[in-house]
Amino acid sequence: MTKIDTSRPETVLPTPSHTVGPFYGHALPFPGGGDIAPVGHPDTITLQGHVYDGEGNPLPDAFVELWGADPEGNLPQVDGSMLRDASSGGFLGRNGVEFTGWGRVQTDAGGHWSARTLRPGARGRSAPYLSVCVFARGLLVHLFTRIYLPGDDAALAADPLLEQLDPARRATLIAQDGPLGTYRFDIRLQGEGETVFLEFQ
């Protein structure tokens, strides 16, 4: 057996390269990840948008997680809504009944994401919003932001977070109103129009 002298860098052979993750598409997606609202609920809204990198290119392998209060502003306390296969334990999807307020969606090949949830109610002084966590390639740490819904200008103006921001930056946190209960919210990780991201301490 040949003994290698590791005390001198020039005598150490390079190790094989490895593909660097993250591989979000392997285990994290699950059927119905974006179907947060119970089936047929009257307060259902659809959120959709794109995730863009610093050069404005869509990211096809990003993950968007959403958390939101129910229409009365209460944080859901139910255990969950997932159906599992009894033999394999794998996810079959949501049961379409409980509202947990949480969902996870992967962007498609064009960087697009979509989720159906309930319109959140206001909590305290804050205007109604959904919390968002973004995972994407090139990010060493996931990013946190919010999605505020348009419509109540007085509530948005009085929101403690939004009132601290310059109007141009504030606009990156407010979804664009669309037809029939749909809202568009694009997430820009860097560059012009970069989404405001939050730091929790």
Side-chain angles (χ1 to χ4, degrees), residues 65-69 101 129-133 144-147 198 200:
E65 287 192 350
L66 303 167
W67 296 273
Y129 68 87
L130 292 123
S131 295
V132 180
C133 186
F144 295 97
T145 189
R146 288 181 177 178
I147 300 175
L198 310 176
F200 294 96

Side-chain angles (χ1 to χ4, degrees), residues 149-160:
L149 299 177
D152 189 340
D153 293 340
L156 292 172
D159 183 86

Side-chain angles (χ1 to χ4, degrees), residues 176-188:
Q176 297 174 359
D177 206 353
L180 303 173
T182 62
Y183 297 91
R184 179 169 180 152
F185 187 80
D186 292 331
I187 300 168
R188 299 181 186 278

Side-chain angles (χ1 to χ4, degrees), residues 46-86:
T46 299
L47 295 163
Q48 58 92 22
H50 289 80
V51 178
Y52 296 106
D53 66 15
E55 296 180 348
N57 299 315
L59 289 178
D61 56 356
F63 251 66
V64 178
E65 287 192 350
L66 303 167
W67 296 273
D70 66 18
E72 288 75 44
N74 301 313
L75 295 178
Q77 302 293 317
V78 296
D79 290 337
S81 61
M82 302 298 176
L83 293 174
R84 289 184 178 270
D85 183 282

Side-chain angles (χ1 to χ4, degrees), residues 96-118:
V97 179
E98 281 86 15
F99 175 70
T100 62
W102 176 81
R104 177 192 290 150
V105 292
Q106 184 176 11
T107 56
D108 65 17
H112 183 263
W113 65 274
S114 177
R116 290 184 321 97
T117 189
L118 298 183

